[in-house]
Amino acid sequence: QVQLVESGGGSVQPGGSLRLSCVASGLIFSDTYMGWFRQVPGQEREVVASINPGGYVAFYEDPVKGRFTVSRDNAKNTLYLQMNSLKPEDTAMYYCSAAETSPFTRGWARASNYDYWGPGTQVTVSS
């Protein structure tokens, strides 16, 4: 059974930083494409970033480019999202996701191309 568990969320002031982690089990992590999504109540879930199994190819949604960095440690079955220069509009529930087949050729930003999801971790950016 695949399990994804996020951690690292919290409240931070604008301009601050947070690092989210996602520990995966029940899958071959080093063979799995991973993604981070976020969702605000009443809105659709939107992609933040996606990374290939080797960790050397990543895509980012435009609003976070240059501020967020996705990475992974395959030895620890852990996905990370380093978030810097946080803005109030980054406030959302952040979800870790895993794709059994590559989403890069099918639409890396589409939530429907990811098969497994964690329960989420809340990030709040406010002064």
Side-chain angles (χ1 to χ4, degrees), residues 29-107:
F29 186 74
S30 59
D31 288 345
T32 305
Y33 289 76
M34 301 294 295
W36 286 102
F37 285 73
R38 63 186 181 185
Q39 188 170 22
V40 175
Q43 297 184 16
E44 290 189 1
R45 192 168 295 190
E46 64 174 12
V47 71
V48 175
S50 185
I51 189 168
N52 78 326
Y56 51 85
V57 178
F59 296 103
Y60 297 89
E61 195 68 347
D62 284 347
V64 307
K65 283 181 180 176
R67 300 187 298 121
F68 291 10
T69 303
V70 60
S71 63
R72 62 194 297 161
D73 185 337
N74 286 345
K76 296 182 178 180
N77 282 11
T78 302
L79 177 73
Y80 301 102
L81 183 68
Q82 178 66 44
M83 305 186 295
N84 299 328
S85 301
L86 282 161
K87 304 176 180 180
E89 51 263 43
D90 295 317
T91 295
M93 184 73 78
Y94 283 71
Y95 297 92
C96 171
S97 60
E100 291 184 324
T101 57
S102 172
F104 286 8
T105 56
R106 300 180 290 126

